Amino acid sequence: LDDNITGYFDDASGTLTLTGDDSAEMYEAALSSVEFSANGFSLDDRTVVIETTVWDDGGSISNTGISTIQVIASEMYIS
């Protein structure tokens, strides 16, 4: 992440929070670097819902953007 943006992941709720004073472009880059891993979870097909909410400097909240991703299980063999 950029030096101005810090991230925190809450395992219990599955929530990733990014905070810091930076441009929309830097937040876009930070979000683009997020990776999902299913270590320790079932590899069944599942739907993952991603909600994005933004607060501005004045504390006003944006509309929540919602993306739904269909994860398809696959087997990976390394030899």
Side-chain angles (χ1 to χ4, degrees):
L1 294 178
D2 181 90
D3 289 341
N4 295 328
I5 300 173
T6 57
Y8 169 75
F9 183 75
D10 182 331
D11 289 326
S13 67
T15 301
L16 172 65
T17 302
L18 301 177
T19 59
D21 185 19
D22 217 320
S23 66
E25 291 80 14
M26 292 307 292
Y27 270 94
E28 183 176 347
L31 287 169
S32 294
S33 72
V34 173
E35 295 181 6
F36 173 81
S37 175
N39 292 340
F41 294 99
S42 166
L43 290 178
D44 296 337
D45 293 355
R46 69 182 69 223
T47 299
V48 176
V49 177
I50 299 172
E51 295 183 10
T52 307
T53 307
V54 177
W55 286 265
D56 67 15
D57 292 340
S60 297
I61 191 170
S62 71
N63 292 330
T64 299
I66 300 175
S67 298
T68 303
I69 301 170
Q70 183 67 41
V71 178
I72 307 298
S74 66
E75 295 294 326
M76 181 179 201
Y77 298 95
I78 300 173
S79 58

